Amino acid sequence: MERPPTADRPLSAYADLLGGDRLDSLRERGESLSDTRVCHVNSTASGGGVAELLRSLVPLFEDVGVETDWAVMEADEPFFDVTKQIHNGLQGDDEPLTPEMYETYRETTERNAHAFSGEYDVVVLHDPQPLGMIGALRERFPDTRFVWRCHIDCTAATEPYLDLLSSHLEHVDHAVFSREVYGETIGIEPRSIVYPAIDPLTEKNRPLTESEERAERERLSAVPFEGEEPILTQVSRFDPWKDPLGVIEAFREVQREVPGAQLVLLGGMADDDPEGREVYERVLAEAGEDASVHLLTNEPDLTVNYVQRRSDVVVQKSIREGFGLVVSEALWKRTPVVASRVGGIPLQIDDGETGYLTDPDDTGAVADRVTRLFSEPALRERLGENAREHVRDRFLLPRQLGDYLDLFGRLD
Ligand code: UDP
């Protein structure tokens, strides 16, 4: 198994953002686990939220004194095709899971379980990909505690995929979900909730220098970031659940009140995602000749950072949402967010205090809140400041470190 490099950032790098007391408390909690050896296992060293999270989180565990490794499975394309389908099945897709697919999953996970080395007190398996390793691992390491960390919204999971999970979950000592309702669907005990978090020190979230800002402004010169016109942005994959067409509809209403308003839709599109391309084409057609609608695709993290930071209002008009990290990302940059009351979004937005919540199909309400924010700079500023503090309190990476330390302390 691969042992990928991690970020070179100690816990002290977060001191200015969080305050020394909080870091001291994390160190204390770490000390009480100083004889605990932990290994996190996932399926990719880069790309995707889990790898991003582990790259930042693993060195923080080490820094508070918990010996921590990160191991990545060796797997090939057929395995990833199967696990992509498992992922989709857990999100509600009902494509059949064939015996061949099951066999590919079993063969790869068992091979990895036999290749796994090291003596650990706790092994955390992230998402369904490495979960199949657990039976063989348990036999090889009977004294190790096994935690399954599920990062997926599985409330609409279909039966064959739930069955696949259940056959492995019997070996799990503790499961961790991002929201209580996901754990209820899977029905495993004991379980804990660990909310996702953003890393304030990555390219996507760190403060930008003046020259970086200037470079971004020049590169994105079609969007008047320094002009008088207020800018509304949604950062999301081009995905029907993120409702980009609904965003344009709301924006049309805003334009009637604020004629100079601009809309930015920033979204990634993977080459192997035909559905994303189709949604993008529809959005492009809907934007038509309107020069105030700007579509930005496959932008680097620094650009995502700049756009979230320099927009007047960020919108997240999702119809369904797991957690919605983009909401915390924007709030952290003091940009007020108008977002649907779905999934993990209400955890992040206190309606009227850190942003506004709207019903997912209420385009008029979105337009109303955005128009109000556009016309009241003092309101934007107040909400933006509250938002920053809310994220500082609850959704920054070191909080997640603390949640895991507490959890490891509870495992007997
Ligand atoms: N993102 C990005 N570029 C894009 C679109 C999204 O970097 O073009 C990032 C975004 O900043 C966030 C993540 O992808 O960090 C999306 O996470 P979220 O939880 O909001 O939604 P998901 O895509 O997981 O449903």
Side-chain angles (χ1 to χ4, degrees), residues 286-298:
E286 190 57 42
E289 300 291 297
D290 187 345
S292 50
V293 178
H294 310 268
L295 302 189
L296 305 178
T297 54
N298 298 333

Side-chain angles (χ1 to χ4, degrees), residues 11-26:
L11 189 61
S12 56
Y14 298 82
D16 289 347
L17 297 174
L18 280 173
D21 289 358
R22 275 199 223 188
L23 300 194
D24 289 346
S25 145
L26 289 169

Side-chain angles (χ1 to χ4, degrees), residues 52 204 235-237 242 266-268 298-299 301 304 308 321 323-327 329:
E52 204 174 299
K204 206 182 292 176
V235 173
S236 278
R237 289 178 291 114
K242 308 284 185 183
L266 190 160
N298 298 333
E299 297 289 349
D301 285 358
V304 175
Q308 288 171 328
E321 190 59 75
F323 180 75
L325 279 172
V326 279
V327 172
E329 288 168 6

Side-chain angles (χ1 to χ4, degrees), residues 77 84 237-238 267-278 297-298:
E77 214 174 303
K84 182 163 189 207
R237 289 178 291 114
F238 287 98
M269 222 175 346
D271 293 341
D272 63 350
D273 179 13
E275 196 188 23
R277 181 139 294 278
E278 205 181 300
T297 54
N298 298 333

Side-chain angles (χ1 to χ4, degrees), residues 22-178:
R22 275 199 223 188
L23 300 194
D24 289 346
S25 145
L26 289 169
R27 288 209 172 84
E28 270 165 35
R29 285 184 267 171
E31 252 164 50
S32 65
L33 294 166
S34 59
D35 55 355
T36 305
R37 294 151 306 167
V38 179
C39 186
H40 291 269
V41 183
N42 80 321
S43 65
T44 56
S46 63
V50 177
E52 204 174 299
L53 171 75
L54 291 177
R55 193 169 323 117
S56 295
L57 199 54
V58 166
L60 300 188
F61 280 113
E62 285 273 315
D63 196 22
V64 297
V66 182
E67 213 178 289
T68 303
D69 287 332
W70 172 17
V72 173
M73 298 173 73
E74 302 265 351
D76 54 12
E77 214 174 303
F79 175 77
F80 287 117
D81 288 342
V82 172
T83 54
K84 182 163 189 207
Q85 190 166 320
I86 294 174
H87 188 111
N88 290 343
L90 291 173
Q91 291 199 314
D93 204 282
D94 56 6
E95 287 282 308
L97 184 65
T98 64
E100 292 74 28
M101 295 166 87
Y102 194 90
E103 185 51 25
T104 301
Y105 180 74
R106 190 195 61 75
E107 192 277 319
T108 307
T109 49
E110 283 189 7
R111 182 163 39 78
N112 275 276
H114 290 293
F116 186 85
S117 60
E119 291 286 323
Y120 297 101
D121 301 292
V122 181
V123 170
V124 186
L125 303 169
H126 290 262
D127 275 348
Q129 292 90 332
L131 182 63
M133 295 167 63
I134 197 167
L137 283 180
R138 167 98 31 248
E139 266 182 36
R140 289 187 57 206
F141 305 101
D143 298 330
T144 300
R145 294 279 157 263
F146 290 95
V147 174
W148 183 51
R149 192 343 169 183
C150 173
H151 297 269
I152 304 173
D153 169 355
C154 30
T155 38
T158 51
E159 213 168 303
Y161 300 93
L162 278 176
D163 289 347
L164 174 97
L165 290 190
S166 322
S167 62
H168 301 293
L169 288 176
E170 60 183 283
H171 300 293
V172 165
D173 292 297
H174 201 104
V176 180
F177 297 91
S178 294

